[in-house]
Amino acid sequence: MSTLLEKHIVELLQDRDEKAISLLYDNYGDTLYGVAYKVVKDEDLAQDVLQESFIKIWKKSDSYDVTKAKLFTWLFRITRNTAIDKLRSINTKSDKEIQIDVSDVYNLGVKGIVPELMDVKENLDKIEPKYKIVLEALFFEGMTQQEASDELDIPLGTIKSRLKIGLRELRKIYGTSMVLAIVLSVL
Protein backbone atom coordinates (compact mmCIF):
# COMPACT_ATOMS: atom_id res chain seq x y z
CA MET A 1 0.00 0.00 0.00
CA SER A 2 1.29 3.40 -0.86
CA THR A 3 2.16 5.84 1.87
CA LEU A 4 -0.02 8.46 0.21
CA LEU A 5 -3.10 6.24 0.36
CA GLU A 6 -2.36 5.35 3.96
CA LYS A 7 -2.06 9.05 4.88
CA HIS A 8 -5.31 9.75 3.05
CA ILE A 9 -7.12 6.99 5.00
CA VAL A 10 -5.72 8.30 8.29
CA GLU A 11 -6.92 11.81 7.46
CA LEU A 12 -10.37 10.51 6.57
CA LEU A 13 -10.51 8.52 9.81
CA GLN A 14 -9.51 11.52 11.88
CA ASP A 15 -12.12 13.63 10.08
CA ARG A 16 -14.68 10.87 10.79
CA ASP A 17 -15.36 10.55 7.07
CA GLU A 18 -17.20 7.32 6.24
CA LYS A 19 -15.12 6.90 3.07
CA ALA A 20 -12.32 5.78 5.40
CA ILE A 21 -14.14 2.57 6.26
CA SER A 22 -14.67 1.70 2.59
CA LEU A 23 -11.01 2.33 1.84
CA LEU A 24 -9.93 0.33 4.89
CA TYR A 25 -12.15 -2.56 3.88
CA ASP A 26 -10.98 -2.52 0.26
CA ASN A 27 -7.29 -2.30 1.16
CA TYR A 28 -7.04 -4.21 4.45
CA GLY A 29 -10.21 -6.33 4.68
CA ASP A 30 -8.76 -9.58 3.31
CA THR A 31 -5.63 -9.36 5.43
CA LEU A 32 -7.55 -8.53 8.60
CA TYR A 33 -9.96 -11.37 7.87
CA GLY A 34 -6.89 -13.64 7.67
CA VAL A 35 -5.72 -12.38 11.06
CA ALA A 36 -9.13 -13.06 12.59
CA TYR A 37 -9.40 -16.48 10.97
CA LYS A 38 -5.95 -17.49 12.21
CA VAL A 39 -7.10 -16.84 15.78
CA VAL A 40 -10.68 -18.17 15.73
CA LYS A 41 -10.27 -20.89 13.07
CA ASP A 42 -13.87 -20.53 11.90
CA GLU A 43 -15.00 -18.65 8.78
CA ASP A 44 -18.29 -17.32 10.15
CA LEU A 45 -16.70 -16.30 13.42
CA ALA A 46 -13.84 -14.61 11.56
CA GLN A 47 -16.43 -12.59 9.59
CA ASP A 48 -18.05 -11.52 12.86
CA VAL A 49 -14.67 -10.57 14.29
CA LEU A 50 -13.86 -8.56 11.17
CA GLN A 51 -17.14 -6.67 11.40
CA GLU A 52 -16.66 -5.97 15.12
CA SER A 53 -13.10 -4.86 14.41
CA PHE A 54 -14.21 -2.31 11.84
CA ILE A 55 -16.75 -0.97 14.31
CA LYS A 56 -14.01 -0.62 16.93
CA ILE A 57 -11.68 0.96 14.41
CA TRP A 58 -14.34 3.54 13.57
CA LYS A 59 -15.13 4.25 17.22
CA LYS A 60 -11.45 4.48 18.20
CA SER A 61 -10.30 6.36 15.12
CA ASP A 62 -9.49 9.44 17.16
CA SER A 63 -7.12 7.41 19.35
CA TYR A 64 -4.87 6.39 16.45
CA ASP A 65 -1.46 8.06 16.73
CA VAL A 66 0.75 8.05 13.62
CA THR A 67 3.85 8.50 15.79
CA LYS A 68 3.20 5.34 17.81
CA ALA A 69 2.38 2.77 15.12
CA LYS A 70 1.76 2.34 11.44
CA LEU A 71 -1.85 2.14 10.39
CA PHE A 72 -1.68 -1.57 9.60
CA THR A 73 -0.11 -2.35 13.00
CA TRP A 74 -2.94 -0.51 14.74
CA LEU A 75 -5.56 -2.30 12.63
CA PHE A 76 -3.85 -5.65 13.19
CA ARG A 77 -3.85 -5.21 16.98
CA ILE A 78 -7.50 -4.24 17.12
CA THR A 79 -8.50 -7.21 14.95
CA ARG A 80 -6.33 -9.70 16.80
CA ASN A 81 -7.53 -8.52 20.21
CA THR A 82 -11.14 -8.64 19.05
CA ALA A 83 -10.63 -12.22 17.86
CA ILE A 84 -9.06 -13.23 21.17
CA ASP A 85 -11.89 -11.57 23.10
CA LYS A 86 -14.43 -13.40 20.93
CA LEU A 87 -12.78 -16.75 21.68
CA ARG A 88 -12.70 -16.02 25.40
CA SER A 89 -16.33 -15.00 25.32
CA ILE A 90 -17.32 -18.23 23.61
CA ASN A 91 -15.23 -20.33 26.00
CA THR A 92 -16.68 -18.56 29.02
CA LYS A 93 -20.23 -19.12 27.80
CA SER A 94 -19.61 -22.80 27.17
CA ASP A 95 -17.95 -23.19 30.59
CA LYS A 96 -21.09 -21.80 32.22
CA GLU A 97 -23.36 -24.33 30.55
CA ILE A 98 -23.45 -27.00 33.25
CA GLN A 99 -25.30 -30.20 32.63
CA ILE A 100 -26.95 -30.88 36.01
CA ASP A 101 -28.51 -34.14 34.87
CA VAL A 102 -25.11 -35.69 34.09
CA SER A 103 -23.26 -34.13 37.01
CA ASP A 104 -22.27 -36.29 39.94
CA VAL A 105 -21.72 -33.34 42.27
CA TYR A 106 -24.80 -34.17 44.30
CA ASN A 107 -24.15 -37.91 44.40
CA LEU A 108 -22.00 -37.94 47.52
CA GLY A 109 -23.61 -41.07 48.89
CA VAL A 110 -24.42 -39.57 52.30
CA LYS A 111 -27.92 -40.96 52.69
CA GLY A 112 -26.76 -44.00 54.64
CA ILE A 113 -24.35 -42.16 56.89
CA VAL A 114 -25.57 -41.66 60.43
CA PRO A 115 -23.16 -39.68 62.63
CA GLU A 116 -24.07 -41.69 65.73
CA LEU A 117 -22.97 -44.90 64.00
CA MET A 118 -19.68 -43.42 62.87
CA ASP A 119 -18.31 -42.78 66.35
CA VAL A 120 -18.39 -39.05 65.71
CA LYS A 121 -19.43 -38.31 69.26
CA GLU A 122 -16.52 -40.37 70.59
CA ASN A 123 -14.08 -38.59 68.29
CA LEU A 124 -15.40 -35.25 69.46
CA ASP A 125 -13.68 -36.08 72.74
CA LYS A 126 -10.37 -35.90 70.87
CA ILE A 127 -10.76 -32.19 70.15
CA GLU A 128 -10.65 -29.31 72.63
CA PRO A 129 -13.80 -28.86 74.72
CA LYS A 130 -14.46 -25.32 73.46
CA TYR A 131 -14.78 -26.66 69.88
CA LYS A 132 -16.65 -29.78 70.98
CA ILE A 133 -19.34 -27.73 72.73
CA VAL A 134 -19.97 -25.64 69.60
CA LEU A 135 -20.08 -28.68 67.28
CA GLU A 136 -22.47 -30.54 69.58
CA ALA A 137 -24.78 -27.52 69.83
CA LEU A 138 -24.86 -26.97 66.08
CA PHE A 139 -24.93 -30.53 64.78
CA PHE A 140 -26.39 -32.73 67.49
CA GLU A 141 -28.74 -30.28 69.16
CA GLY A 142 -29.77 -28.64 65.89
CA MET A 143 -29.16 -25.06 66.98
CA THR A 144 -28.44 -22.26 64.56
CA GLN A 145 -25.23 -20.33 65.06
CA GLN A 146 -27.19 -17.46 66.63
CA GLU A 147 -29.06 -19.84 68.96
CA ALA A 148 -25.78 -21.46 70.01
CA SER A 149 -24.32 -18.02 70.63
CA ASP A 150 -27.25 -17.08 72.87
CA GLU A 151 -27.44 -20.46 74.65
CA LEU A 152 -23.71 -20.80 75.30
CA ASP A 153 -23.25 -17.07 75.97
CA ILE A 154 -20.46 -16.91 73.39
CA PRO A 155 -20.19 -14.13 70.79
CA LEU A 156 -21.46 -15.11 67.33
CA GLY A 157 -18.04 -14.48 65.74
CA THR A 158 -16.44 -16.84 68.25
CA ILE A 159 -19.07 -19.50 67.46
CA LYS A 160 -18.20 -19.24 63.78
CA SER A 161 -14.46 -19.41 64.45
CA ARG A 162 -14.81 -22.40 66.77
CA LEU A 163 -17.02 -24.16 64.24
CA LYS A 164 -14.41 -23.67 61.54
CA ILE A 165 -11.56 -24.87 63.76
CA GLY A 166 -13.64 -27.76 65.11
CA LEU A 167 -14.44 -28.96 61.59
CA ARG A 168 -10.77 -28.63 60.68
CA GLU A 169 -9.89 -30.86 63.64
CA LEU A 170 -12.52 -33.43 62.60
CA ARG A 171 -11.11 -33.30 59.08
CA LYS A 172 -7.77 -34.44 60.50
CA ILE A 173 -9.51 -37.47 61.98
CA TYR A 174 -11.93 -38.38 59.19
CA GLY A 175 -10.71 -36.68 56.02
CA THR A 176 -12.37 -33.92 54.02
CA SER A 177 -15.03 -35.92 52.20
CA MET A 178 -16.17 -37.74 55.33
CA VAL A 179 -16.57 -34.49 57.32
CA LEU A 180 -18.62 -33.08 54.45
CA ALA A 181 -20.75 -36.22 54.48
CA ILE A 182 -21.24 -35.94 58.26
CA VAL A 183 -22.25 -32.30 58.05
CA LEU A 184 -24.65 -32.96 55.16
CA SER A 185 -26.27 -35.94 56.88
CA VAL A 186 -26.91 -33.98 60.06
CA LEU A 187 -28.42 -31.00 58.24
Side-chain angles (χ1 to χ4, degrees), residues 73-84:
T73 305
W74 184 69
L75 299 171
F76 172 85
R77 285 183 186 150
I78 291 174
T79 305
R80 184 174 178 277
N81 290 342
T82 303
I84 291 169

mmCIF file with all atom_site columns, all heavy atoms in Angstrom, residues 73-84:
data_model
loop_
_atom_site.group_PDB
_atom_site.id
_atom_site.type_symbol
_atom_site.label_atom_id
_atom_site.label_alt_id
_atom_site.label_comp_id
_atom_site.label_asym_id
_atom_site.label_entity_id
_atom_site.label_seq_id
_atom_site.pdbx_PDB_ins_code
_atom_site.Cartn_x
_atom_site.Cartn_y
_atom_site.Cartn_z
_atom_site.occupancy
_atom_site.B_iso_or_equiv
_atom_site.pdbx_formal_charge
_atom_site.auth_seq_id
_atom_site.auth_comp_id
_atom_site.auth_asym_id
_atom_site.auth_atom_id
_atom_site.pdbx_PDB_model_num
ATOM 1   N N   . THR A 1 73 ? -0.399  -1.792  11.675 1.00 0.00 ? 73 THR A N   1
ATOM 2   C CA  . THR A 1 73 ? -0.106  -2.353  12.998 1.00 0.00 ? 73 THR A CA  1
ATOM 3   C C   . THR A 1 73 ? -1.278  -2.082  13.941 1.00 0.00 ? 73 THR A C   1
ATOM 4   O O   . THR A 1 73 ? -1.701  -2.962  14.694 1.00 0.00 ? 73 THR A O   1
ATOM 5   C CB  . THR A 1 73 ? 1.183   -1.733  13.570 1.00 0.00 ? 73 THR A CB  1
ATOM 6   O OG1 . THR A 1 73 ? 2.238   -1.930  12.623 1.00 0.00 ? 73 THR A OG1 1
ATOM 7   C CG2 . THR A 1 73 ? 1.559   -2.349  14.891 1.00 0.00 ? 73 THR A CG2 1
ATOM 8   N N   . TRP A 1 74 ? -1.795  -0.885  13.894 1.00 0.00 ? 74 TRP A N   1
ATOM 9   C CA  . TRP A 1 74 ? -2.938  -0.514  14.736 1.00 0.00 ? 74 TRP A CA  1
ATOM 10  C C   . TRP A 1 74 ? -4.167  -1.347  14.372 1.00 0.00 ? 74 TRP A C   1
ATOM 11  O O   . TRP A 1 74 ? -4.842  -1.892  15.248 1.00 0.00 ? 74 TRP A O   1
ATOM 12  C CB  . TRP A 1 74 ? -3.206  0.983   14.551 1.00 0.00 ? 74 TRP A CB  1
ATOM 13  C CG  . TRP A 1 74 ? -4.274  1.548   15.416 1.00 0.00 ? 74 TRP A CG  1
ATOM 14  C CD1 . TRP A 1 74 ? -4.245  1.728   16.773 1.00 0.00 ? 74 TRP A CD1 1
ATOM 15  C CD2 . TRP A 1 74 ? -5.545  2.044   14.978 1.00 0.00 ? 74 TRP A CD2 1
ATOM 16  N NE1 . TRP A 1 74 ? -5.407  2.309   17.197 1.00 0.00 ? 74 TRP A NE1 1
ATOM 17  C CE2 . TRP A 1 74 ? -6.231  2.519   16.115 1.00 0.00 ? 74 TRP A CE2 1
ATOM 18  C CE3 . TRP A 1 74 ? -6.149  2.147   13.734 1.00 0.00 ? 74 TRP A CE3 1
ATOM 19  C CZ2 . TRP A 1 74 ? -7.508  3.071   16.039 1.00 0.00 ? 74 TRP A CZ2 1
ATOM 20  C CZ3 . TRP A 1 74 ? -7.423  2.710   13.668 1.00 0.00 ? 74 TRP A CZ3 1
ATOM 21  C CH2 . TRP A 1 74 ? -8.082  3.151   14.801 1.00 0.00 ? 74 TRP A CH2 1
ATOM 22  N N   . LEU A 1 75 ? -4.431  -1.494  13.087 1.00 0.00 ? 75 LEU A N   1
ATOM 23  C CA  . LEU A 1 75 ? -5.564  -2.297  12.626 1.00 0.00 ? 75 LEU A CA  1
ATOM 24  C C   . LEU A 1 75 ? -5.389  -3.763  13.019 1.00 0.00 ? 75 LEU A C   1
ATOM 25  O O   . LEU A 1 75 ? -6.337  -4.426  13.451 1.00 0.00 ? 75 LEU A O   1
ATOM 26  C CB  . LEU A 1 75 ? -5.708  -2.183  11.106 1.00 0.00 ? 75 LEU A CB  1
ATOM 27  C CG  . LEU A 1 75 ? -5.981  -0.801  10.523 1.00 0.00 ? 75 LEU A CG  1
ATOM 28  C CD1 . LEU A 1 75 ? -5.872  -0.833  8.996  1.00 0.00 ? 75 LEU A CD1 1
ATOM 29  C CD2 . LEU A 1 75 ? -7.329  -0.282  10.965 1.00 0.00 ? 75 LEU A CD2 1
ATOM 30  N N   . PHE A 1 76 ? -4.179  -4.260  12.851 1.00 0.00 ? 76 PHE A N   1
ATOM 31  C CA  . PHE A 1 76 ? -3.851  -5.645  13.189 1.00 0.00 ? 76 PHE A CA  1
ATOM 32  C C   . PHE A 1 76 ? -4.139  -5.913  14.665 1.00 0.00 ? 76 PHE A C   1
ATOM 33  O O   . PHE A 1 76 ? -4.758  -6.915  15.023 1.00 0.00 ? 76 PHE A O   1
ATOM 34  C CB  . PHE A 1 76 ? -2.376  -5.921  12.861 1.00 0.00 ? 76 PHE A CB  1
ATOM 35  C CG  . PHE A 1 76 ? -1.884  -7.248  13.338 1.00 0.00 ? 76 PHE A CG  1
ATOM 36  C CD1 . PHE A 1 76 ? -2.060  -8.393  12.584 1.00 0.00 ? 76 PHE A CD1 1
ATOM 37  C CD2 . PHE A 1 76 ? -1.236  -7.363  14.567 1.00 0.00 ? 76 PHE A CD2 1
ATOM 38  C CE1 . PHE A 1 76 ? -1.603  -9.624  13.024 1.00 0.00 ? 76 PHE A CE1 1
ATOM 39  C CE2 . PHE A 1 76 ? -0.778  -8.593  15.017 1.00 0.00 ? 76 PHE A CE2 1
ATOM 40  C CZ  . PHE A 1 76 ? -0.965  -9.725  14.251 1.00 0.00 ? 76 PHE A CZ  1
ATOM 41  N N   . ARG A 1 77 ? -3.660  -5.025  15.534 1.00 0.00 ? 77 ARG A N   1
ATOM 42  C CA  . ARG A 1 77 ? -3.847  -5.210  16.981 1.00 0.00 ? 77 ARG A CA  1
ATOM 43  C C   . ARG A 1 77 ? -5.324  -5.215  17.368 1.00 0.00 ? 77 ARG A C   1
ATOM 44  O O   . ARG A 1 77 ? -5.758  -6.036  18.174 1.00 0.00 ? 77 ARG A O   1
ATOM 45  C CB  . ARG A 1 77 ? -3.115  -4.112  17.757 1.00 0.00 ? 77 ARG A CB  1
ATOM 46  C CG  . ARG A 1 77 ? -1.625  -4.308  17.778 1.00 0.00 ? 77 ARG A CG  1
ATOM 47  C CD  . ARG A 1 77 ? -0.964  -3.250  18.621 1.00 0.00 ? 77 ARG A CD  1
ATOM 48  N NE  . ARG A 1 77 ? 0.490   -3.366  18.519 1.00 0.00 ? 77 ARG A NE  1
ATOM 49  C CZ  . ARG A 1 77 ? 1.311   -2.348  18.621 1.00 0.00 ? 77 ARG A CZ  1
ATOM 50  N NH1 . ARG A 1 77 ? 0.846   -1.140  18.830 1.00 0.00 ? 77 ARG A NH1 1
ATOM 51  N NH2 . ARG A 1 77 ? 2.607   -2.537  18.525 1.00 0.00 ? 77 ARG A NH2 1
ATOM 52  N N   . ILE A 1 78 ? -6.069  -4.293  16.803 1.00 0.00 ? 78 ILE A N   1
ATOM 53  C CA  . ILE A 1 78 ? -7.503  -4.242  17.115 1.00 0.00 ? 78 ILE A CA  1
ATOM 54  C C   . ILE A 1 78 ? -8.183  -5.534  16.672 1.00 0.00 ? 78 ILE A C   1
ATOM 55  O O   . ILE A 1 78 ? -8.952  -6.140  17.421 1.00 0.00 ? 78 ILE A O   1
ATOM 56  C CB  . ILE A 1 78 ? -8.172  -3.010  16.459 1.00 0.00 ? 78 ILE A CB  1
ATOM 57  C CG1 . ILE A 1 78 ? -7.683  -1.735  17.146 1.00 0.00 ? 78 ILE A CG1 1
ATOM 58  C CG2 . ILE A 1 78 ? -9.702  -3.116  16.521 1.00 0.00 ? 78 ILE A CG2 1
ATOM 59  C CD1 . ILE A 1 78 ? -8.170  -0.453  16.502 1.00 0.00 ? 78 ILE A CD1 1
ATOM 60  N N   . THR A 1 79 ? -7.878  -5.990  15.477 1.00 0.00 ? 79 THR A N   1
ATOM 61  C CA  . THR A 1 79 ? -8.503  -7.207  14.953 1.00 0.00 ? 79 THR A CA  1
ATOM 62  C C   . THR A 1 79 ? -8.096  -8.430  15.760 1.00 0.00 ? 79 THR A C   1
ATOM 63  O O   . THR A 1 79 ? -8.935  -9.261  16.122 1.00 0.00 ? 79 THR A O   1
ATOM 64  C CB  . THR A 1 79 ? -8.141  -7.399  13.466 1.00 0.00 ? 79 THR A CB  1
ATOM 65  O OG1 . THR A 1 79 ? -8.512  -6.216  12.748 1.00 0.00 ? 79 THR A OG1 1
ATOM 66  C CG2 . THR A 1 79 ? -8.839  -8.603  12.873 1.00 0.00 ? 79 THR A CG2 1
ATOM 67  N N   . ARG A 1 80 ? -6.829  -8.543  16.032 1.00 0.00 ? 80 ARG A N   1
ATOM 68  C CA  . ARG A 1 80 ? -6.327  -9.698  16.800 1.00 0.00 ? 80 ARG A CA  1
ATOM 69  C C   . ARG A 1 80 ? -6.938  -9.725  18.199 1.00 0.00 ? 80 ARG A C   1
ATOM 70  O O   . ARG A 1 80 ? -7.411  -10.759 18.669 1.00 0.00 ? 80 ARG A O   1
ATOM 71  C CB  . ARG A 1 80 ? -4.806  -9.653  16.888 1.00 0.00 ? 80 ARG A CB  1
ATOM 72  C CG  . ARG A 1 80 ? -4.208  -10.854 17.573 1.00 0.00 ? 80 ARG A CG  1
ATOM 73  C CD  . ARG A 1 80 ? -2.671  -10.821 17.491 1.00 0.00 ? 80 ARG A CD  1
ATOM 74  N NE  . ARG A 1 80 ? -2.101  -11.936 18.174 1.00 0.00 ? 80 ARG A NE  1
ATOM 75  C CZ  . ARG A 1 80 ? -1.889  -11.968 19.492 1.00 0.00 ? 80 ARG A CZ  1
ATOM 76  N NH1 . ARG A 1 80 ? -2.193  -10.926 20.230 1.00 0.00 ? 80 ARG A NH1 1
ATOM 77  N NH2 . ARG A 1 80 ? -1.348  -13.038 20.050 1.00 0.00 ? 80 ARG A NH2 1
ATOM 78  N N   . ASN A 1 81 ? -6.949  -8.579  18.874 1.00 0.00 ? 81 ASN A N   1
ATOM 79  C CA  . ASN A 1 81 ? -7.534  -8.519  20.214 1.00 0.00 ? 81 ASN A CA  1
ATOM 80  C C   . ASN A 1 81 ? -9.029  -8.806  20.201 1.00 0.00 ? 81 ASN A C   1
ATOM 81  O O   . ASN A 1 81 ? -9.556  -9.469  21.105 1.00 0.00 ? 81 ASN A O   1
ATOM 82  C CB  . ASN A 1 81 ? -7.258  -7.155  20.855 1.00 0.00 ? 81 ASN A CB  1
ATOM 83  C CG  . ASN A 1 81 ? -5.798  -6.973  21.205 1.00 0.00 ? 81 ASN A CG  1
ATOM 84  O OD1 . ASN A 1 81 ? -5.035  -7.919  21.298 1.00 0.00 ? 81 ASN A OD1 1
ATOM 85  N ND2 . ASN A 1 81 ? -5.394  -5.725  21.378 1.00 0.00 ? 81 ASN A ND2 1
ATOM 86  N N   . THR A 1 82 ? -9.712  -8.348  19.186 1.00 0.00 ? 82 THR A N   1
ATOM 87  C CA  . THR A 1 82 ? -11.141 -8.636  19.055 1.00 0.00 ? 82 THR A CA  1
ATOM 88  C C   . THR A 1 82 ? -11.364 -10.134 18.871 1.00 0.00 ? 82 THR A C   1
ATOM 89  O O   . THR A 1 82 ? -12.284 -10.710 19.463 1.00 0.00 ? 82 THR A O   1
ATOM 90  C CB  . THR A 1 82 ? -11.751 -7.855  17.869 1.00 0.00 ? 82 THR A CB  1
ATOM 91  O OG1 . THR A 1 82 ? -11.510 -6.456  18.064 1.00 0.00 ? 82 THR A OG1 1
ATOM 92  C CG2 . THR A 1 82 ? -13.244 -8.093  17.743 1.00 0.00 ? 82 THR A CG2 1
ATOM 93  N N   . ALA A 1 83 ? -10.526 -10.769 18.072 1.00 0.00 ? 83 ALA A N   1
ATOM 94  C CA  . ALA A 1 83 ? -10.634 -12.222 17.859 1.00 0.00 ? 83 ALA A CA  1
ATOM 95  C C   . ALA A 1 83 ? -10.382 -12.982 19.156 1.00 0.00 ? 83 ALA A C   1
ATOM 96  O O   . ALA A 1 83 ? -11.104 -13.930 19.490 1.00 0.00 ? 83 ALA A O   1
ATOM 97  C CB  . ALA A 1 83 ? -9.651  -12.664 16.775 1.00 0.00 ? 83 ALA A CB  1
ATOM 98  N N   . ILE A 1 84 ? -9.371  -12.570 19.894 1.00 0.00 ? 84 ILE A N   1
ATOM 99  C CA  . ILE A 1 84 ? -9.061  -13.232 21.171 1.00 0.00 ? 84 ILE A CA  1
ATOM 100 C C   . ILE A 1 84 ? -10.215 -13.041 22.150 1.00 0.00 ? 84 ILE A C   1
ATOM 101 O O   . ILE A 1 84 ? -10.627 -13.986 22.831 1.00 0.00 ? 84 ILE A O   1
ATOM 102 C CB  . ILE A 1 84 ? -7.735  -12.692 21.743 1.00 0.00 ? 84 ILE A CB  1
ATOM 103 C CG1 . ILE A 1 84 ? -6.562  -13.158 20.869 1.00 0.00 ? 84 ILE A CG1 1
ATOM 104 C CG2 . ILE A 1 84 ? -7.537  -13.146 23.185 1.00 0.00 ? 84 ILE A CG2 1
ATOM 105 C CD1 . ILE A 1 84 ? -5.237  -12.481 21.182 1.00 0.00 ? 84 ILE A CD1 1
#
